[in-house]
Amino acid sequence: MSTERENALAALREWSVPGRRADLAAAAWRAGATVVAITEAARVGSRQTIYDDLKSRGIDPRNRPKEKNVTTVTVDGLTGVNDDQPGGALYNAVVAKHEGRQAPAPAEFNRMMALSLALGQYNDLRSRLAEEEEARAERDRALHLVDVRWEALADPNSKGSWLHGHQAYIRGVDDAHRAIDAWKGAVETLMSLASLRRGEDSDRLVDAYEQSILPAGHPPVNKPDIDAEVEATRLHEELDAEHARRQALAAETLGLAARN
């Protein structure tokens, strides 16, 4: 999590001045925090409260711009992406030795190799963490949109067709199920990666991570403790249960309309 984002959430946890919550929620949102994280930090009982706060500050949580691609981290001229390809640092070192030119000593070459491999894993983890966060945000937006479309059906001032509005709601439910599955896939991909932790990865790669990547000022990469299968199943079941309840309510409305 970025320092700006963490500071925004920390300020939100300590809000006490009446009327400040909406400002702090907006600041946390602009810093990249999700509605779920803001709701937890603000200690409010419902995400709808935060949605209302954001709306009061001119923010539509459904329209957050896509995250930009994560920039590849480089340390000592290595990226872990194409270091062993023509023009790469490791490739050049091997060519120099082969041609009798000055080349890194064996110990230094081994250090470079370990750092390159660690950077490859580090950059992959950062990218997948960003993808999971983006998929989570998409999931939350889709679930929120289901609620918004359902509430719109009961708006007495709506000038649109109730049937068209209900179809939009039905499509929203389908989109939410798809978003949950997309998030689950992103988590499963993330969790399949090496973790750069001792006992779970090669010690020499963890050494490179701890002794070269982190000291260079790059943030640690930590895989979240998520059981994607359990969480996705819960979300699907909750969505289906609420949809079934709403279907029963809609059927009553349609039944009254048919009799009249």
Side-chain angles (χ1 to χ4, degrees):
M1 182 179 289
S2 70
T3 300
E4 179 185 6
R5 187 180 311 172
E6 180 55 36
N7 289 342
L9 290 174
L12 188 56
R13 294 184 188 102
E14 299 171 0
W15 72 272
S16 60
V17 179
R20 281 282 290 150
R21 188 186 63 215
D23 290 335
L24 293 170
W29 173 261
R30 294 188 180 104
T34 64
V35 169
V36 173
I38 297 172
T39 302
E40 292 175 351
R43 298 176 183 174
V44 296
S46 170
R47 283 184 290 174
Q48 189 58 50
T49 302
I50 299 302
Y51 284 122
D52 292 342
D53 283 342
L54 295 175
K55 184 177 179 181
S56 74
R57 295 301 182 267
I59 296 173
D60 183 349
R62 296 167 297 170
N63 294 328
R64 168 173 272 171
K66 297 285 188 180
E67 294 282 346
K68 295 181 179 179
N69 291 332
V70 176
T71 303
T72 301
V73 164
T74 301
V75 177
D76 295 347
L78 298 164
T79 65
V81 178
N82 53 10
D83 299 324
D84 59 348
Q85 299 301 308
L90 293 176
Y91 182 90
N92 290 341
V94 172
V95 171
K97 182 177 181 179
H98 179 72
E99 294 180 348
R101 293 183 286 110
Q102 185 175 0
E108 172 61 12
F109 183 80
N110 288 337
R111 185 195 74 84
M112 292 172 62
M113 178 68 75
L115 178 56
S116 176
L117 292 172
L119 280 166
Q121 292 189 10
Y122 179 83
N123 282 314
D124 200 10
L125 272 170
R126 288 180 72 239
S127 177
R128 298 303 183 180
L129 282 165
E131 289 177 4
E132 186 277 328
E133 185 173 359
E134 184 174 315
R136 178 187 294 271
E138 285 289 344
R139 180 201 72 185
D140 292 344
R141 281 195 289 271
L143 288 168
H144 172 58
L145 187 56
V146 171
D147 295 336
V148 170
R149 288 179 173 174
W150 173 254
E151 292 300 326
L153 291 174
D155 183 359
N157 298 315
S158 175
K159 297 180 181 179
S161 161
W162 190 91
L163 288 176
H164 280 95
H166 191 265
Q167 177 64 13
Y169 161 73
I170 294 295
R171 289 173 181 264
V173 171
D174 183 64
D175 289 342
H177 278 301
R178 293 173 183 271
I180 292 169
D181 286 336
W183 168 79
K184 177 174 175 281
V187 175
E188 290 173 342
T189 298
L190 169 61
M191 301 306 285
S192 70
L193 300 180
S195 62
L196 287 174
R197 292 177 182 173
R198 295 197 183 280
E200 298 180 22
D201 212 336
S202 169
D203 282 348
R204 68 190 186 112
L205 300 192
V206 179
D207 287 342
Y209 169 63
E210 294 178 346
Q211 298 170 15
S212 297
I213 298 175
L214 295 181
H218 303 295
V221 288
N222 298 309
K223 292 195 296 187
D225 184 15
I226 300 173
D227 188 327
E229 183 67 35
V230 170
E231 179 72 2
T233 297
R234 180 185 67 81
L235 291 170
H236 281 306
E237 289 177 349
E238 290 178 354
L239 182 59
D240 283 338
E242 184 63 12
H243 179 48
R245 185 186 71 84
R246 288 168 171 171
Q247 279 184 310
L249 294 174
E252 287 193 31
T253 300
L254 291 172
L256 289 173
R259 286 199 295 270
N260 292 331

